[in-house]
Amino acid sequence: MSYRKFANFLLFIISILTVNLITTFISDYMMSYMHLTHPLKATLIGMVLMVFILYPAYNWIDELSGIITVKIFTAGRNAGGKFLGLIWAFFVAFGVLFLCYMYIWFHVRVWDLF
């Protein structure tokens, strides 16, 4: 596998995880106000908001996460060579996302484990 294909694959993984994380934050925030109205009305409003807010947010976040990830990968390449830096930068970005997901899903911070 060439370096470019491998880098694009890792960028794809980080982008998907980042976009999902941020859209989860947006969805949870929107849904926290849905208890103020009738469930049928709240469901309809939630579905409409998901389409009109999350779709443009997804496109914007996808572009932004791509830019940030490329910068991280470039910094990693400069720090440790082409492949080693790419792997190092991927694991740093993946580790940060891992900690964010652990907090969202289980409400556990890394310092709570020790």
Side-chain angles (χ1 to χ4, degrees):
M1 178 181 283
S2 71
Y3 174 80
R4 187 173 217 30
K5 286 183 181 181
F6 186 62
N8 286 338
F9 174 69
L10 295 180
L11 173 66
F12 181 68
I13 291 171
I14 296 297
S15 294
I16 286 174
L17 291 173
T18 303
V19 168
N20 184 40
L21 183 69
I22 293 172
T23 55
T24 299
F25 278 128
I26 293 170
S27 297
D28 289 348
Y29 178 75
M30 288 186 332
M31 292 303 147
S32 67
Y33 291 103
M34 291 300 171
H35 69 280
L36 300 175
T37 186
H38 191 272
L40 293 173
K41 188 176 178 182
T43 302
L44 183 61
I45 291 170
M47 291 172 70
V48 169
L49 287 175
M50 294 278 193
V51 170
F52 287 111
I53 291 175
L54 291 182
Y55 180 73
Y58 175 81
N59 288 333
W60 179 75
I61 293 167
D62 187 36
E63 291 174 16
L64 183 64
S65 69
I67 292 168
I68 291 170
T69 306
V70 166
K71 288 184 181 187
I72 291 171
F73 285 176
T74 302
R77 179 176 47 196
N78 294 338
K82 201 172 185 179
F83 281 101
L84 184 61
L86 179 67
I87 297 295
W88 177 81
F90 172 77
F91 280 116
V92 167
F94 187 82
V96 169
L97 289 170
F98 180 84
L99 295 175
C100 293
Y101 274 102
M102 189 169 62
Y103 178 71
I104 286 176
W105 288 343
F106 301 106
H107 301 288
V108 174
R109 293 180 183 92
V110 71
W111 52 83
D112 294 340
L113 297 175
F114 301 106

